[in-house]
Structures are given as structure tokens and as C-alpha cells.
């Protein structure tokens, strides 16, 4: 299309020669050309309703608590997603996180999102999204107490390099209970011992409030109809800076009760309370280089992505590579 536009511009700017050759190339079907151009721009800027079924693969890190320490393991995570987006801008999305637990893959978290995108302006695209998380309990690895997220983004599309700013606010809390049975041995003398049953009840409360701001620049390179009339290839390098604040609260209360065998009444024997509250100021979190590719064949698409993250707060292993592969169908 760009080649045809340049050719047309050059032909219209030429002056008639002495032999009176026509200034317009009669071999070009201009009605068909401009009809194709109209359809192309309509497909880019006209909102349409569509549904997406997507499956993503990525490498993730999970922290498992052992008897003496916490160990981190890298595991393959599968993310199936179903979404519907109306031409008015409203959308709904349901996804889950699936990881191999023991000998089989099982979902450990679900997310339901509602969104609105305003795309009618050719210069500025903006939107917002609300997400609610549902996490399985108990789990052998640690997950954040995050329950809800709200995000808004602004993308300026006029420049060759497109700047984008997004703001994300997440919050949530979690309460867990555990109960352990034990015994206390009381010595009356060397020959007589009394064993008293005990019950220890532990209540753990976690809260989190997290604000993240991301600023990025990107450019999309397109190739259309390389192999067939329905294929589409896009390559997008993107550089993103992420910063934010975090407030984390932790409170754990442990109460030990002794059971009186004669009366059946539990008597409080010992009580412990651990409280932690950390609140970080705005700080740089990460600088991430994305290399995104997309291959579309009609309604089907595959999106391999490579990520290189530089984490500023980390004491070691600051540079971490990641990958994501999405594949699905647009209906």
C-alpha cells in the first residue's frame, strides 16, 4: 500500500511532457486501490466485537518453605484465558494460573477482569481495568495476599515511537489458621511423670497495598501477506521502566492451651505475638526490555515474547531473562 501511495504521489506531481503522455498510469485500478485503502484503515480504527481464546506458557519462580529455609524453584506456568470485547469498548476476561503440583498440573489461582478501552481517537488510546483474584488455599508455595487490582493506561499513537504510561494499584489481605496438638511432660519426681495434652492455635494476618507506575516506549513493525492473503507478522521492541511503593503488614498470634482432664476446660498457658509493618517509599523496581513477535494466520495467532529484566532492589542476580508464548484464536 505504501509503495502504491508513493507511486501515485510521484505521478500526480509530474508535469505533462511534450509528447502528451498521461499523468495518471492507466494500468492502475484506482477504484480498487482506494477501496482497499479504506478497508485497511477501517480495520485499524473501527471498533469491532470479538472473542479471544488464548493459552500462554511462561517460566515463573515459586518460593517453597522448608523446615529450615525458603527455596525458590523455576517452573513452567500455563495460563488459559477466555475474553470477550464489545465494540463499545467494554470487555470481560477470565484466566487461571496452572502449575505442576506433585505429579499433575492443577490451577492454583483464577482472575476475573472487567475493562473499558477508548480507541476511537487515532492519536490517543486509553483504558482501565479492574481485576479480582481467587487463590486456592492451602498451597505448598507462597503467594501474595493480593486480592484486587485497578489499572489505567494512556498510549499516544501519533509518533513513530509510541510512549505509554500505566498506573496500577493492588490491595488485599489474607487470614490463615493452624492448629497443632502437643504434650507437656511434668516431672513430680524421678519416678513419676505427668503428660499434659496441649493445643497451639496460630492466626496469621497479611495485608498489602501496592502502587506501580510504568513508563514505556515502543514501535510496531508490520508485514502483511508474506505467505498468503491472510497472514500478518508484527515485531515490537519495547523498553519499560517500572517504579512503585509497597506497604506490607504481617501479624501472627500463637496461643497455647492446656486441657484439664478433670474439668475439660482449656487454660491459656502461653501466648506469643509477632508484628511486622513495612512501608517503602517510591523506588525504582525494574527496567525491562521486551521483544514481542506475533504471527497471525486468519483467526489463529502465536505470540512469542522474550523479556530481559534488570531488578534494581535485588542484591544479586539483578539481570533475569524470561519468556512468554501465547497462542489462540480470535472469533
Amino acid at each position: 500500500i505504501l509503495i502504491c501511495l508513493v507511486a501515485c504521489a510521484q505521478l500526480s506531481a509530474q508535469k505533462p511532457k511534450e509528447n502528451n503522455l498521461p499523468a495518471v498510469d492507466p494500468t492502475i485500478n484506482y477504484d480498487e486501490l482506494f477501496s482497499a485503502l479504506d478497508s485497511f484503515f477501517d480495520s485499524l480504527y473501527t471498533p469491532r466485537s470479538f472473542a479471544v481464546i488464548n493459552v500462554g506458557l511462561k517460566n515463573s519462580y515459586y518460593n517453597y518453605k522448608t523446615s529450615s529455609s525458603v527455596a525458590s524453584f523455576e517452573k513452567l506456568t500455563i495460563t488459559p484465558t477466555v475474553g470477550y470485547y464489545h465494540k463499545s469498548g467494554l470487555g470481560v476476561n477470565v484466566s487461571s494460573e496452572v502449575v505442576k503440583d506433585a505429579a499433575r498440573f492443577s490451577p492454583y489461582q483464577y482472575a476475573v477482569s472487567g475493562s473499558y478501552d477508548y480507541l476511537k481517537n487515532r492519536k490517543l488510546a486509553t483504558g482501565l481495568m479492574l481485576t479480582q483474584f481467587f487463590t486456592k488455599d492451602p498451597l505448598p508455595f507462597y503467594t501474595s495476599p493480593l486480592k484486587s487490582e485497578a489499572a489505567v493506561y494512556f498510549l499516544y499513537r501519533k509518533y513513530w515511537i509510541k510512549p505509554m504510561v500505566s498506573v496500577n494499584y493492588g490491595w488485599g489481605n489474607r487470614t490463615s489458621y493452624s492448629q497443632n496438638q502437643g504434650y507437656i511432660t511434668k516431672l513430680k519426681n524421678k519416678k513419676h511423670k505427668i503428660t499434659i495434652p496441649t493445643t497451639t492455635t496460630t492466626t496469621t494476618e497479611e495485608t498489602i497495598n501496592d502502587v506501580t507506575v510504568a513508563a514505556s516506549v515502543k514501535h510496531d513493525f508490520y508485514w502483511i501477506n508474506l505467505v498468503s492473503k491472510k497472514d500478518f507478522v508484527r515485531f515490537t521492541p519495547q523498553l519499560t521502566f517500572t517504579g512503585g511503593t509497597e506497604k506490607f503488614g504481617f501479624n501472627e498470634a500463637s496461643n497455647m492451651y492446656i486441657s484439664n482432664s478433670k474439668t475439660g476446660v482449656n487454660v491459656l498457658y502461653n501466648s506469643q505475638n509477632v508484628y511486622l509493618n513495612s512501608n517503602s517509599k517510591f523506588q525504582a523496581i525494574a527496567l525491562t526490555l521486551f521483544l514481542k513477535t506475533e504471527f497471525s494466520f486468519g483467526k489463529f495467532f502465536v505470540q512469542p515474547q522474550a523479556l530481559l529484566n534488570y531488578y534494581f532492589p535485588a542484591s544479586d542476580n539483578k539481570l533475569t531473562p524470561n519468556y512468554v508464548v501465547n497462542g489462540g484464536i480470535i472469533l
Side-chain angles (χ1 to χ4, degrees):
I1 293 175
L2 292 177
I3 294 175
C4 293
L5 286 176
V6 172
C8 293
Q10 289 177 347
L11 288 172
S12 61
Q14 291 176 354
K15 296 181 180 180
K17 296 183 180 179
E18 294 180 356
N19 55 7
N20 295 325
L21 290 175
V24 178
D25 191 344
T27 62
I28 298 179
N29 188 335
Y30 289 96
D31 291 336
E32 182 179 352
L33 171 63
F34 288 112
S35 177
L37 287 175
D38 291 339
S39 300
F40 176 73
F41 287 117
D42 286 343
S43 65
L44 288 179
Y45 296 108
T46 301
R48 299 175 183 272
S49 299
F50 62 95
V52 176
I53 301 175
N54 177 80
V55 177
L57 303 175
K58 61 182 179 179
N59 61 328
S60 301
Y61 294 89
Y62 297 89
N63 292 325
Y64 287 79
K65 184 178 180 180
T66 63
S67 58
S68 58
S69 62
V70 176
S72 181
F73 295 94
E74 181 182 6
K75 289 193 172 186
L76 174 67
T77 304
I78 304 174
T79 309
T81 304
V82 177
Y84 176 77
Y85 302 90
H86 192 263
K87 60 184 179 181
S88 64
L90 296 174
V92 62
N93 186 294
V94 180
S95 65
S96 65
E97 297 282 327
V98 180
V99 69
K100 191 174 183 180
D101 185 13
R104 62 187 181 91
F105 283 92
S106 60
Y108 71 88
Q109 187 180 75
Y110 297 90
V112 180
S113 301
S115 61
Y116 175 77
D117 297 281
Y118 182 77
L119 305 174
K120 295 181 180 180
N121 191 327
R122 296 191 180 187
K123 295 182 180 180
L124 178 67
T126 183
L128 56 89
M129 181 173 64
L130 298 175
T131 304
Q132 185 70 28
F133 297 96
F134 304 91
T135 305
K136 182 180 176 181
D137 188 36
L139 290 171
F141 50 84
Y142 179 80
T143 59
S144 169
L146 190 68
K147 295 291 184 181
S148 306
E149 274 188 345
V152 60
Y153 75 91
F154 302 91
L155 171 65
Y156 194 70
R157 302 188 288 184
K158 185 179 179 181
Y159 299 141
W160 189 80
I161 295 180
K162 300 177 178 61
M164 182 176 68
V165 176
S166 62
V167 181
N168 181 291
Y169 175 67
W171 69 96
N173 60 75
R174 175 173 56 201
T175 303
S176 60
Y177 304 92
S178 64
Q179 194 174 70
N180 296 319
Q181 303 292 333
Y183 297 93
I184 293 179
T185 301
K186 184 178 181 181
L187 297 176
K188 282 190 173 182
N189 50 51
K190 293 182 178 181
K191 295 182 178 180
H192 296 85
K193 298 179 181 180
I194 300 177
T195 302
I196 304 174
T198 63
T199 300
T200 302
T201 303
T202 303
T203 303
T204 304
E205 297 180 354
E206 295 176 272
T207 60
I208 189 172
N209 292 279
D210 190 5
V211 178
T212 304
V213 179
S216 65
V217 289
K218 70 173 186 175
H219 179 73
D220 297 314
F221 297 92
Y222 298 94
W223 295 271
I224 303 174
N225 301 339
L226 290 179
V227 180
S228 65
K229 294 183 179 180
K230 295 184 178 181
D231 64 23
F232 168 82
V233 179
R234 177 173 59 183
F235 173 67
T236 305
Q238 177 177 322
L239 186 63
T240 301
F241 170 80
T242 306
T245 64
E246 182 182 86
K247 182 179 181 181
F248 183 81
F250 178 86
N251 186 32
E252 183 176 88
S254 297
N255 298 315
M256 180 182 290
Y257 298 89
I258 294 179
S259 300
N260 191 316
S261 59
K262 296 181 179 180
T263 62
V265 177
N266 293 330
V267 180
L268 181 62
Y269 177 75
N270 189 18
S271 180
Q272 294 180 347
N273 188 43
V274 178
Y275 179 74
L276 172 66
N277 187 9
S278 64
N279 189 4
S280 66
K281 298 180 180 179
F282 186 88
Q283 62 178 344
I285 297 176
L287 184 65
T288 307
L289 174 64
F290 294 86
L291 297 177
K292 304 178 182 180
T293 55
E294 179 179 350
F295 304 92
S296 298
F297 308 92
K299 296 181 179 181
F300 299 92
F301 64 89
V302 179
Q303 298 172 325
Q305 301 180 29
L307 298 78
L308 189 61
N309 302 284
Y310 183 85
Y311 293 99
F312 294 101
S315 57
D316 54 0
N317 297 327
K318 290 180 176 289
L319 200 61
T320 306
N322 293 88
Y323 69 88
V324 179
V325 179
N326 293 315
I329 181 174
I330 299 177
L331 305 175

